[in-house]
Amino acid sequence: MINKAILIGNVGEDPEARNLTNGGVVTNFTLATSIKIKGEERTEWHRITVWGQTAEFARDYVKKGSKLYIEGEIKTRKWQDKDGNDRYRTEINVGNFNSNLKILTPKGETESGATGGNVETASEDPNDEIPFDL
C-alpha cells in the first residue's frame, strides 16, 4: 500500500513551531498549490505538519512565500469539539523515512521576489532532485 502526497507550492504563512514534551519539535504551516483550468486558476490549501529534524529545518529556514517541494503521508485526525461533535482535519505529515521537504525558492527570495533572510536551498539547482519537470 502507498499513502503519499507530492506537492509543489507556496507557504501561506510563517511556520509555527512547538517544542514537544519528549524534546522533539513539530512545525505547522499551510501550503498553496494552484492549477489553471480553461484559463481559470484554482488554488488548494494544504495543512502541513513537520516532525523531528525536518521540523527544526522548517522552523529555521521556511518563510511565508517560500516555494517548497513536499513529499509526505496523508493523515486525517479526528477529535471532538467542546460540544461533543466529531471534527476532522486532513494534513500532510513530513518527517518520517518516506517523506521529503525541499526549498525551491532561490536563496534570499520569496515567491513575490521580496528579499528575505538567508534561506538555504536543497542544492545549487533544486530541480536536479525533483523526479519530474516543473
Side-chain angles (χ1 to χ4, degrees):
M1 293 186 205
I2 297 175
N3 176 359
K4 182 178 249 187
I6 300 174
L7 303 170
I8 294 178
N10 297 324
V11 176
E13 77 267 346
D14 285 335
E16 179 182 308
R18 294 185 323 271
N19 294 318
L20 303 173
T21 55
N22 67 3
V25 175
V26 62
T27 301
N28 297 303
F29 57 89
T30 57
L31 189 78
T33 58
S34 297
I35 187 170
K36 281 190 179 181
I37 299 175
K38 297 182 182 179
E40 184 179 327
E41 188 169 6
R42 265 192 359 220
T43 301
E44 292 288 333
W45 287 93
H46 311 274
R47 298 184 76 61
I48 310 298
T49 301
V50 188
W51 302 91
Q53 289 181 329
T54 308
E56 293 174 21
F57 175 83
R59 175 196 63 204
D60 295 342
Y61 296 106
V62 173
K63 305 291 180 224
K64 178 180 179 178
S66 296
K67 187 174 216 169
L68 301 182
Y69 171 88
I70 289 182
E71 294 179 40
E73 173 190 22
I74 303 166
K75 187 168 185 175
T76 301
R77 292 189 298 129
K78 178 183 173 184
W79 74 96
Q80 290 188 333
D81 66 16
K82 64 181 179 179
D83 298 324
N85 299 312
D86 288 343
R87 304 291 302 224
Y88 300 88
R89 174 175 287 159
T90 301
E91 303 168 324
I92 308 302
N93 275 291
V94 180
N96 62 23
F97 68 93
N98 205 16
S99 63
N100 201 347
L101 181 152
K102 292 184 179 163
I103 297 176
L104 302 179
T105 306
K107 188 173 185 175
E109 286 186 15
T110 62
E111 184 64 18
S112 65
T115 301
N118 285 337
V119 177
E120 295 184 0
T121 55
S123 68
E124 285 298 314
D125 182 2
N127 296 327
D128 284 345
E129 297 182 30
I130 296 176
F132 52 85
D133 292 331
L134 296 177

